[in-house]
Amino acid sequence: MSAVAGSSGMASVAAAAEPRLRVEQASFAYAATDKSAPKFTLGPITFEAQKHELIAILGPNASGKSTLLGLLAGMHAPLAGRIALDSTEISKLDARERAQRIALVHQESELLFPLRVWEYVLQGRYPYGRRLRFESEEDCLMAGNALAQVGADALRDRWMDQLSGGEKQRVILARALAQQPLLLLLDEPTQHLDIGGKVELLRRLRKLTAEQRYTVLVVTHELNLAAEFSDRIVLLHKGKCLRAGTPAEVYDRAALEEVFEAPLEVEMRANGRPRVTVHGSEHG
């Protein structure tokens, strides 16, 4: 009996340790459209993300951040390696299954025609719908829950083009949450926000990962915000994964100076999280 119980306990521990997202030696390449231009290659990249974790993908322009996000979203299949969500390869999921498990928020979300916030957030329910039918009670419930999760209940009757930058970013996030994803991918979500808006958004994402079932990956240039709010960081440089680990493990002065091509200082704060400065000034 004790042997059986022990075996069962070990299996439970193993199951609990299985990561939500596993990226194993994944690589991808774009063919050059101009014969004189070099082909861009990403990878190989290896890292994991657990449930309830926020992962920051860091790097300068043209380092491969958005390409990596496209791989994680299943927009591209890796040329080599493997990317799995809850042990299922993302590239093998059909479009409907991917949309139910993965939500991708792009830098810019253009509106093709005027929409109120409520209509916009309901679009996140599309993966669960059937053609030629109105939204169900469950769709309305999920959309309402999503607005509540981002603190945007009061905005539901506003027109999207009348929102401030911070308000719009919250509503865009609500539409993604209405998909009920396991994996939430955000491409530069703080790009058009002031520092207060950036901190507020990252705090909200941090709270969502802790309280809900989401695993969140955020592409960003914000070194100090990434260090403050993320569980782990993937540092990209020219298509390569230079480092992956906790902020304290990744924020090596020499590595950051190589990536961002600037003289930097890295200070370890009392809370165990690093802080980066440039010539004595704050950086990101």
Side-chain angles (χ1 to χ4, degrees):
M1 288 290 291
S2 60
V4 173
S7 175
S8 175
M10 291 174 62
S12 298
V13 171
E18 180 66 25
R20 166 62 50 79
L21 175 71
R22 188 191 297 274
V23 181
E24 299 175 336
Q25 294 292 301
S27 63
F28 185 74
Y30 287 111
T33 54
D34 180 352
K35 291 183 179 180
S36 63
K39 181 173 73 170
F40 178 79
T41 302
L42 176 71
I45 293 176
T46 297
F47 70 92
E48 294 179 353
Q50 302 290 341
K51 296 176 182 178
H52 308 295
E53 278 193 334
L54 192 154
I55 310 295
I57 302 173
L58 271 179
N61 291 333
S63 59
K65 302 187 301 298
S66 294
T67 301
L68 175 57
L69 220 59
L71 281 173
L72 300 177
M75 296 168 61
H76 320 296
L79 295 181
R82 183 173 181 269
I83 301 176
L85 180 65
D86 286 342
S87 302
T88 301
E89 288 193 49
I90 290 174
S91 60
K92 294 183 178 179
L93 296 171
D94 63 35
R96 184 183 177 91
E97 289 177 309
R98 284 202 311 271
Q100 290 176 352
R101 300 187 195 188
I102 303 169
L104 172 60
V105 178
H106 293 284
Q107 287 182 20
E108 303 288 345
S109 296
E110 284 190 38
L111 294 174
L112 300 179
F113 47 86
L115 279 178
R116 292 190 187 274
V117 165
W118 179 248
E119 297 167 324
Y120 182 83
V121 174
L122 273 174
Q123 290 180 345
R125 298 300 299 165
Y126 180 78
Y128 298 90
R130 299 183 299 275
R131 290 185 179 182
L132 302 177
R133 75 164 181 86
F134 295 103
E135 60 271 9
S136 67
E137 288 186 13
E138 183 180 9
D139 292 334
C140 292
L141 177 62
M142 292 300 107
N145 287 346
L147 281 169
Q149 286 176 12
V150 301
D153 273 325
L155 302 176
R156 66 168 62 202
D157 294 324
R158 296 266 300 277
W159 292 97
M160 287 293 296
D161 59 3
Q162 295 175 351
L163 302 179
S164 69
E167 289 171 338
K168 185 176 181 182
Q169 198 60 264
R170 277 188 285 155
V171 171
I172 291 172
L173 179 58
R175 183 179 68 170
L177 298 183
Q179 290 178 229
Q180 298 178 269
L182 301 175
L183 189 62
L184 181 60
L185 309 173
L186 298 103
D187 191 0
E188 296 283 3
T190 63
Q191 186 175 41
H192 300 300
L193 303 179
D194 59 24
I195 186 62
K198 291 175 182 181
V199 171
E200 194 273 339
L201 178 63
L202 267 297
R203 280 180 178 160
R204 194 172 294 279
L205 289 172
R206 178 76 269 168
K207 189 170 185 283
L208 286 170
T209 59
E211 295 179 354
Q212 307 295 332
R213 63 179 188 162
Y214 312 116
T215 297
V216 180
L217 283 89
V218 180
V219 164
T220 183
H221 291 91
E222 307 281 352
L223 283 171
N224 284 323
L225 289 178
E228 183 66 24
F229 290 102
S230 63
D231 295 292
R232 280 184 275 181
I233 288 173
V234 178
L235 180 63
L236 300 183
H237 183 47
K238 296 180 179 178
K240 303 297 182 184
C241 181
L242 206 61
R243 285 173 175 251
T246 66
E249 292 168 339
V250 170
Y251 279 44
D252 172 76
R253 176 179 176 178
L256 293 181
E257 287 187 334
E258 177 187 353
V259 170
F260 293 99
E261 299 180 352
L264 304 174
E265 295 290 339
V266 179
E267 170 194 6
M268 194 59 62
R269 300 164 58 204
N271 64 2
R273 291 183 178 270
R275 182 180 184 82
V276 180
T277 57
V278 182
H279 288 307
S281 300
E282 294 186 4
H283 184 75

